[in-house]
Amino acid sequence: MAHSTAFFRTAVPVLLALAATSLQGQGLKIAAGDVGIAIGPVPEITGVRLNLRDDRRFRRATGLNVTVWSPTDDVDSEVTGLALGLPLTGAGRLTGIGAGVGVAVQDDFGGLGIGVLGLGSGGDIQGVAFGGLGLGGGGDGTGLLGGGLGVGMGGDLQGIIIGGLGVGAGGSATGLLISGLAAGVGNDLRGVVIAGLGGGAGGSIDGIVLAGGGVGAGGDITGLSLAGLGIGSGGHLKYVAIAGLGVGAPRITGLAAALGVGGTDVRGLVLAPAYFRLEERGELRGVSVSAYNNIRGSQNGLAIGIVNIAEELHGVQIGLINIARNKDSLPVLPLFNYHP
């Protein structure tokens, strides 16, 4: 009880002083030059500054800047040091530590940021930053960034990014992305992605992607991709792609394994328990193991299945029914078919 009384005896006069100076439109500065203590809308200070809400008059604070509410929209200020919100704070640019229930920076943020509900920046975010509900910025995000629900940046992401539900960037991403549901970027993705539902990129993916649902890219996918449902690439799918239902890409190199696999230029090993389809004028160079190998182009290698069909066979078919349409004699054979 004594502690509470002491707190109110200290806090109430300070709040009254802040309110009075703000209402008067001027601040109280106890300083030698610009070094000291400022109460209210003092434009510049090195030391300690206390204000209800910063506005366009505020230019610079080096040290400790404490506010009750976030700045007005037109603020153009710079805080270097600690910006503390009781409950909200922010600045035009913030370098150092930003902490509060909410932290809002209009331009760039760099340092350590903690927003109990959220942290946002109109520009870049660099360093270590976490928003209880979400973290977002209009520019690039670099460092260790986390959001209880999600992390989203308009530019690139680089570092370790963790979002409870989602992680997204309008540009590219490099590093480790972890998301409870989905992780996606507008351009290229390089590194490791772990997503409960899906991982995707508008450009290419290079690295390791583990997703409970699907993995997709408008360009190439290179590395290791594991998905509970499907993996799809608009370009070249290289090295290892394993999915529960389907894998598909115009070009596949390496291992592709799923219930169904499809491609045009396939080189390596295909494991498709249900169905493998090679598109017209395509080419298989390697081995395909599937119940139904439907090779509508050229097979150069081995096909093992129940039914094997090749428009142009240059290799071996092993199965119950084997059809090589380019053979002049005995194009259909049981158990085994061969054409050089």
Side-chain angles (χ1 to χ4, degrees):
M1 192 69 179
H3 292 295
S4 299
T5 303
F7 172 78
F8 282 108
R9 285 178 179 174
T10 303
V12 170
V14 172
L15 291 173
L16 290 175
L18 286 171
T21 54
S22 296
L23 289 173
Q24 293 170 5
Q26 60 186 10
L28 172 64
K29 183 163 69 172
I30 306 170
D34 287 332
V35 180
I37 300 174
I39 299 176
V42 175
E44 296 188 34
I45 194 71
T46 298
V48 178
R49 183 176 181 275
L50 311 175
N51 193 24
L52 286 176
R53 187 180 192 187
D54 294 332
D55 56 27
R56 61 184 180 181
R57 292 170 293 181
F58 177 42
R59 294 192 295 272
R60 179 190 60 82
T62 302
L64 172 62
N65 190 60
V66 181
T67 58
V68 175
W69 209 248
S70 58
T72 59
D73 292 338
D74 58 356
V75 65
D76 182 17
S77 62
E78 184 169 354
V79 174
T80 303
L82 171 60
L84 182 61
L86 301 172
L88 305 180
T89 192
R93 294 166 300 282
L94 173 57
T95 303
I97 301 174
V101 174
V103 178
V105 181
Q106 292 189 21
D107 293 322
D108 297 336
F109 169 80
L112 171 63
I114 300 174
V116 177
L117 291 182
L119 187 150
S121 168
D124 299 339
I125 297 177
Q126 297 182 348
V128 179
F130 178 80
L133 292 181
L135 182 146
D140 299 336
T142 305
L144 174 58
L145 309 180
L149 293 181
V151 175
M153 298 297 296
D156 298 336
L157 283 172
Q158 184 173 357
I160 300 175
I161 318 297
I162 303 171
L165 293 181
V167 172
S172 300
T174 303
L176 171 62
L177 276 60
I178 300 175
S179 172
L181 287 182
V185 299
N187 292 327
D188 298 335
L189 196 161
R190 290 179 172 84
V192 179
V193 177
I194 301 173
L197 187 58
S204 297
I205 296 176
D206 189 348
I208 299 173
V209 183
L210 311 177
V215 175
D220 300 339
I221 298 179
T222 303
L224 171 63
S225 300
L226 302 177
L229 295 179
I231 299 171
S233 167
H236 194 172
L237 181 58
K238 292 189 285 187
Y239 305 138
V240 179
I242 301 173
L245 291 181
V247 171
R251 297 179 63 196
I252 299 175
T253 299
L255 169 64
L259 195 63
V261 175
T264 300
D265 183 1
V266 179
R267 300 168 184 263
L269 173 62
V270 174
L271 301 177
Y275 184 54
F276 169 59
R277 176 186 175 96
L278 187 79
E279 299 297 333
E280 292 183 7
R281 295 182 293 276
E283 183 180 30
L284 167 67
R285 286 189 174 272
V287 178
S288 175
V289 180
S290 177
Y292 181 18
N293 286 298
N294 184 11
I295 299 173
R296 306 178 71 185
S298 174
Q299 175 192 328
N300 294 271
L302 173 64
I304 301 173
I306 297 174
V307 177
N308 301 307
I309 300 175
E311 286 294 320
E312 186 177 340
L313 176 63
H314 299 284
V316 177
Q317 296 172 321
I318 299 175
L320 292 180
I321 300 174
N322 304 287
I323 302 173
R325 300 191 191 279
N326 63 322
K327 290 182 65 176
D328 295 330
S329 62
L330 301 176
V332 181
L333 289 174
L335 303 180
F336 178 88
N337 207 343
Y338 169 75
H339 189 265

